[in-house]
Amino acid sequence: MTLQNIGVIGAGTMGNGIAQTCALCGFDVVMQDIAQAPLDNGMKTIQKSLDRLVGKEKISTADYEAALARLKTTTDINAMEDRDLVIEAASENIEIKLGVFTQLNKICPDSTILATNTSSLSLTRIAAASGRADRVVGMHFFNPVPLMALVEVIRALQTSDKTYNAIETLANSLGKTPVSVKDSPGFVVNRMLVPMINEAVFILYEGLAQAEDIDAAMKLGAAHPMGPLALADMIGLDVCLWVMNVLHEEFGDSKFRPCPLLKQMVDAGYLGRKTGRGFYQYGG
Ligand code: CAA
């Protein structure tokens, strides 16, 4: 099965990173969002990211221009009608995702594979509501998508081998390494990574060490490319809290309880880089 025309639902951090990666790797991409403003912001982020890749000599100016020429944006979800694959990267809200999948099932040809970039919701539930359960699969990318080499390919209980194999091949074509994971809360990476971040927030909350020292400890003592608090700011504190809540509720295990400081930061609107303030300050 050849997947050449790709749709991306959502122009946020993950959506625009996925759209950029697909366009750079030669695929025809349409990125959809519900309003023009997120699409404009998404395109600005893509151009900045491509600029950096040119600056680092990872791609040429011709690659940059070809990628932008292969990438279109729209606010109309009906534009997905000719896509071989649609990757949904909308908000992590089950009702929104179910609504998107129901619409896509009506709009797209029968052969279209519907993938979701969900970081922790039940893929099996999304597949069940989709109307085409065997052609639904998880493609979980990592932030920043253009730089991170992994894609978790998640099989819902209903995902067919044909669908799974097509997505595994596609992930390789995107220059990523696919890892096969069964549907389970947090899959592999978030189940380990986000509790580690939460533990770093507990260490800060308990006054055991300063943010800079916690991050330095993990960079220098465990060879992590970023400290856990800087990473939380990059992922978004709201996303970290969301993942902790899902792990806590789904496993019913107190080891996944979110740190009170993480909840307070989210309540205060200190969500990390995207709001200019998290565990660190950004910009101005
Ligand atoms: N496109 C997008 N972002 C880019 C980029 C590009 N082409 N090049 C660099 N960046 C970003 C980085 O976030 C960072 O921001 P600022 O400079 O604006 O402050 C910066 O650009 C770092 O630039 P560098 O040139 O120093 O980049 P680097 O080569 O040192 O690598 C990194 C940066 C890849 C992010 C590295 O630090 C790293 O691997 N960090 C860990 C990332 C990680 O763990 N990601 C997984 C998060 S979990 C997740 O995504 C799943 C989920 O569901 C929550």
Side-chain angles (χ1 to χ4, degrees):
M1 189 190 291
T2 312
L3 306 173
Q4 185 53 39
N5 297 331
I6 299 180
V8 178
I9 304 290
T13 308
M14 299 307 285
N16 72 57
I18 295 167
Q20 176 189 323
T21 302
C22 294
L24 203 48
C25 291
F27 294 88
D28 176 292
V29 182
V30 176
M31 178 169 74
Q32 185 272 349
D33 208 313
I34 50 173
Q36 195 56 42
L39 288 171
D40 292 344
N41 287 335
M43 287 307 297
K44 265 189 220 146
T45 305
I46 289 173
Q47 283 175 14
K48 198 171 145 201
S49 173
L50 289 171
D51 271 336
R52 294 183 77 137
L53 294 175
V54 171
K56 287 180 187 171
E57 295 183 355
K58 291 196 171 167
I59 61 167
S60 65
T61 311
D63 295 331
Y64 175 114
E65 281 162 10
L68 287 183
R70 284 191 285 264
L71 179 52
K72 297 191 177 46
T73 61
T74 180
T75 52
D76 184 4
I77 197 168
N78 289 304
M80 299 297 145
E81 67 185 356
D82 66 348
R83 302 289 98 184
D84 303 318
L85 165 70
V86 181
I87 305 172
E88 170 277 319
S91 309
E92 281 290 276
N93 173 313
I94 189 74
E95 301 309 327
I96 291 176
K97 291 204 192 280
L98 295 183
V100 168
F101 272 74
T102 307
Q103 272 182 294
L104 289 174
N105 186 47
K106 287 191 194 130
I107 295 164
C108 299
D110 272 356
S111 57
T112 303
I113 295 178
L114 303 183
T116 171
N117 179 58
T118 184
S119 55
S120 51
L121 291 169
S122 165
L123 196 69
T124 301
R125 187 168 164 204
I126 294 171
S130 71
R132 60 174 76 198
D134 60 313
R135 282 148 288 153
V136 171
V137 66
M139 279 189 95
H140 186 215
F141 291 83
F142 293 83
N143 186 9
V145 178
L147 303 187
M148 301 301 287
L150 178 70
V151 178
E152 289 179 319
V153 184
I154 301 119
R155 300 184 84 122
L157 217 52
Q158 311 95 317
T159 306
S160 71
D161 287 345
K162 190 175 166 195
T163 299
Y164 178 84
N165 293 337
I167 295 302
E168 195 176 50
T169 303
L170 175 78
N172 282 313
S173 306
L174 296 176
K176 308 292 186 195
T177 300
V179 165
S180 172
V181 192
K182 286 185 185 163
D183 187 20
S184 173
F187 314 126
V188 170
V189 173
N190 280 349
R191 179 153 165 195
M192 290 186 274
L193 182 70
V194 184
M196 183 202 69
I197 289 171
N198 191 50
E199 208 55 37
V201 185
F202 265 115
I203 290 170
L204 183 69
Y205 179 62
E206 292 166 13
L208 303 182
Q210 305 282 333
E212 290 80 359
D213 290 338
I214 295 167
D215 279 352
M218 291 307 282
K219 278 166 71 177
L220 303 177
H224 287 199
M226 298 170 84
L229 299 173
L231 181 57
D233 279 355
M234 193 182 82
I235 293 171
L237 271 53
D238 51 341
V239 177
C240 294
L241 178 60
W242 163 261
V243 173
M244 286 312 294
N245 280 331
V246 169
L247 292 172
H248 196 205
E249 280 160 27
E250 295 290 326
F251 288 113
D253 189 329
S254 64
K255 75 179 177 184
F256 293 119
R257 76 223 174 285
C259 178
L261 177 59
L262 183 60
K263 291 188 200 168
Q264 285 168 354
M265 301 276 291
V266 172
D267 284 343
Y270 303 155
L271 306 183
R273 281 175 181 250
K274 62 187 165 188
T275 58
R277 179 168 175 179
F279 294 107
Y280 299 96
Q281 302 263 12
Y282 301 89

